[in-house]
């Protein structure tokens, strides 16, 4: 596996340490978990859906939690009394925990269980204060008074 050295980028950026630590995590340890399978879809400009195949699990046996930009989906089968001898068990009924790292300002809108698929709806809503805005540039004649007094005091 290839490794990338991001250290040259650290000295030319400001405020991106969290992004670089996330990139380091992605390039790091792969836990190799493939159960249960899932899809991540883009359903709109700022809308996403995570679909997890949870065949055989009921709503009570599933749990969804969001904590510190991490979405965790858990499933644990309840032990039921055996009504018949199972000759072959091909349907997985093992417990699982699947984690997804969420970007800043991503919120969970809801979840639904349909035909053995768990759909988790997400939307990215950037606060107005965080959206890009234009900064006017003033010249010496129309510079703000505070900037002029600061220069005179120096």
């Amino acid at each position: 596996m290839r490794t990338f050295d991001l250290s040259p980028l650290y000295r030319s950026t400001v405020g991106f340490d969290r992004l670089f630590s996330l990139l380091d995590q992605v390039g790091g340890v792969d836990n190799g978990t493939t159960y249960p399978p899932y899809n991540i879809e883009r359903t709109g400009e700022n809308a996403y859906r995570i679909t997890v195949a949870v065949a055989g699990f009921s709503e009570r046996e599933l749990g969804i939690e969001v904590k510190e930009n991490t979405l965790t989906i858990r499933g644990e089968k309840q032990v039921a009394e055996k009504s018949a001898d199972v000759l072959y068990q091909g349907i997985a009924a093992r417990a699982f925990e699947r984690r997804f790292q969420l970007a800043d300002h991503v919120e969970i809108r809801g979840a639904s269980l349909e035909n053995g698929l768990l759909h988790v709806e997400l939307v990215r809503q950037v606060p107005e204060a965080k959206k890009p805005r234009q900064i006017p540039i003033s010249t010496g004649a129309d510079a703000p008074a505070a900037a002029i007094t600061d220069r005179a005091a120096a």
Side-chain angles (χ1 to χ4, degrees):
M1 181 173 170
R2 295 180 182 160
T3 58
F4 298 100
D5 183 21
L6 300 175
S7 55
L9 297 175
Y10 285 109
R11 63 178 173 254
S12 62
T13 59
V14 176
F16 285 91
D17 10 308
R18 180 175 169 170
L19 174 67
F20 291 135
S21 66
L22 288 175
L23 288 172
D24 288 339
Q25 287 175 0
V26 168
V29 179
D30 180 21
N31 58 7
T33 308
T34 60
Y35 178 78
Y38 66 92
N39 292 340
I40 300 176
E41 308 167 58
R42 180 180 217 144
T43 59
E45 185 178 338
N46 289 317
Y48 304 90
R49 175 187 298 143
I50 297 175
T51 302
V52 183
V54 291
F57 287 87
S58 68
E59 290 178 37
R60 293 179 312 223
E61 298 168 329
L62 296 170
I64 302 173
E65 178 185 24
V66 178
K67 182 179 179 184
E68 298 177 3
N69 290 355
T70 301
L71 169 67
T72 305
I73 300 174
R74 290 185 183 90
E76 188 171 345
K77 285 298 281 181
Q78 303 295 325
V79 179
E81 292 183 28
K82 286 189 175 185
S83 60
D85 290 332
V86 178
L87 299 178
Y88 172 78
Q89 184 169 357
I91 299 173
R94 62 182 183 247
F96 69 88
E97 179 175 293
R98 177 69 82 171
R99 294 179 187 266
F100 299 92
Q101 189 69 35
L102 302 178
D104 290 336
H105 314 297
V106 172
E107 298 175 3
I108 308 298
R109 287 294 166 169
S112 62
L113 183 62
E114 179 182 341
N115 297 327
L117 298 174
L118 176 66
H119 301 286
V120 180
E121 303 293 334
L122 305 113
V123 66
R124 183 171 187 251
Q125 288 190 328
V126 179
E128 200 62 39
K130 300 283 184 174
K131 289 183 179 177
R133 57 188 173 104
Q134 293 293 322
I135 307 299
I137 300 172
S138 58
T139 59
D142 50 303
I148 294 171
T149 56
D150 287 344
R151 282 190 227 145

